[in-house]
Amino acid sequence: MTGAGVSAGGRVVVGVDGSEPSVQAALYAAEAARRRGVGLLVVHVTPWQGFDDALPMAGREVKARFEESATLLVEAAADTVRQETGSGDVTAAVVDDHPVDGLLALSADAALVVIGRRGLGGLPGLLLGSTAGAVAQHARCPVIALPEEWDETAARTRPVVVGIEGGSGDDEVLAFAVAEAASRATGLEAVHAWRDPSLEAALGGFGPFVDWSVVEEDERGKLSRAVAGWRDREPGVPITETVVRDRAAAALLDASAGAELLVVGHRHRGRFGRVGSTTYGLLHRAACPVAVVPLER
């Protein structure tokens, strides 16, 4: 299937670029699709949109060869998924668009978008900076960024970890995280990190006189209230609560070392807004796959 009008149609979407990490992402996405009971759409997005009329004949020939190579690339990835998983509901497509724009368009009606953290460049953050980070930042559905050489089988005894802010978006993030934990038959660890460097700086020498245990107790209450209803809604998922006096990025990076999946929320800041520093750091450095759940402003 080729064209800019490809639709996800409620499937899990995975972007591939011919690299081994992207093939591993496709296999990971196939398992995510199986758990959801939906099909898998394997796509390679080419940056040649609108060049047909502008390019001379030689350029069009180059474009045709490029598209042929792209088709072979994406079909090879899809065939690997079919052979490795036995799934018959795998579709391959070449989308004629900029990689970020193409994946964002597909996210409008996708169940999930999966993308590898590294691409053909082999450098951490190279693909992330140009594609994965931008997709996670603006996608209309959850996005999972997969680290290189991730061993899903070895991680299956680990919990899903979810970052809780203690704010209005927690329920959306928890809904995704609880569903992931339930589908994986594992537990959920809810992590709430609290630290206010600006307040600590303002207190100056008075910091030692503050009863931080009172503050911590209040933060524990925020976390308990956030997860309380989910224990009743999904009693089969054991939920543990962890409160850490630290920056969110540091606390969640530590938690990712023992997680099967790390789930965080991200608020859209407009077309030209940047992904938050916490989410950006986790996408780059987390030891496990990171799921970014889009939140309303």
Side-chain angles (χ1 to χ4, degrees):
M1 184 186 300
T2 304
V6 176
S7 170
R11 292 173 288 188
V12 170
V13 174
V14 60
V16 297
D17 61 6
S19 65
E20 182 59 28
S22 76
V23 174
Q24 293 305 311
L27 292 170
Y28 182 95
E31 177 61 16
R34 184 197 65 78
R35 289 195 298 266
R36 287 165 171 77
V38 300
L40 176 66
L41 177 61
V42 183
V43 298
H44 178 63
V45 188
T46 71
W48 288 79
Q49 186 180 31
F51 276 42
D52 280 330
D53 295 332
L55 289 174
M57 184 58 66
R60 291 176 187 170
E61 291 176 0
V62 171
K63 179 178 183 293
R65 292 175 185 173
F66 184 87
E67 288 184 340
E68 181 181 1
S69 296
T71 299
L72 292 173
L73 179 157
V74 75
E75 288 289 356
D79 284 343
T80 297
V81 170
R82 296 183 188 107
Q83 292 167 9
E84 293 286 335
T85 68
S87 174
D89 196 356
V90 180
T91 303
V94 176
V95 177
D96 191 7
D97 204 345
H98 184 279
V100 171
D101 291 337
L103 289 171
L104 288 179
L106 289 168
S107 78
D109 64 344
L112 175 73
V113 171
V114 177
I115 193 164
R117 188 185 293 177
R118 301 189 188 200
L120 284 169
L123 298 175
L126 183 62
L127 178 60
L128 182 65
S130 61
T131 303
V135 172
Q137 178 180 347
H138 296 295
R140 307 312 303 178
C141 72
V143 175
I144 293 182
L146 193 71
E148 190 177 20
E149 298 180 357
W150 174 249
D151 188 343
E152 180 74 358
T153 302
R156 282 181 182 162
T157 59
R158 303 174 186 173
V160 171
V161 172
V162 58
I164 300 299
E165 292 183 343
S168 59
D170 287 340
D171 226 35
E172 294 172 73
V173 179
L174 276 164
F176 181 88
V178 169
E180 283 293 315
S183 70
R184 297 163 186 260
T186 190
L188 179 68
E189 180 183 2
V191 177
H192 175 58
W194 67 276
R195 187 182 174 195
D196 191 339
S198 60
L199 174 60
E200 293 175 11
L203 288 169
F206 293 98
F209 300 100
V210 176
D211 188 351
W212 293 107
S213 65
V214 174
V215 179
E216 181 169 349
E217 189 62 29
D218 181 59
E219 299 298 331
R220 289 187 182 279
K222 290 180 183 178
L223 178 57
S224 294
R225 288 189 294 274
V227 303
W230 287 100
R231 287 195 170 92
D232 297 330
R233 278 180 265 185
E234 197 64 61
V237 175
I239 301 177
T240 59
E241 301 173 28
T242 302
V243 176
V244 183
R245 185 183 175 185
D246 201 348
R247 295 177 185 270
L252 293 173
L253 280 174
D254 285 345
S256 75
E260 184 174 349
L261 176 70
L262 174 61
V263 182
V264 295
H266 169 65
R267 296 189 185 281
H268 290 290
R269 295 179 172 88
R271 176 64 177 170
F272 300 105
R274 294 184 177 181
V275 70
S277 59
T278 296
T279 303
Y280 187 80
L282 295 173
L283 286 169
H284 270 288
R285 300 191 297 275
C288 69
V290 177
V292 181
V293 179
L295 306 175
E296 295 301 323
R297 295 186 194 179

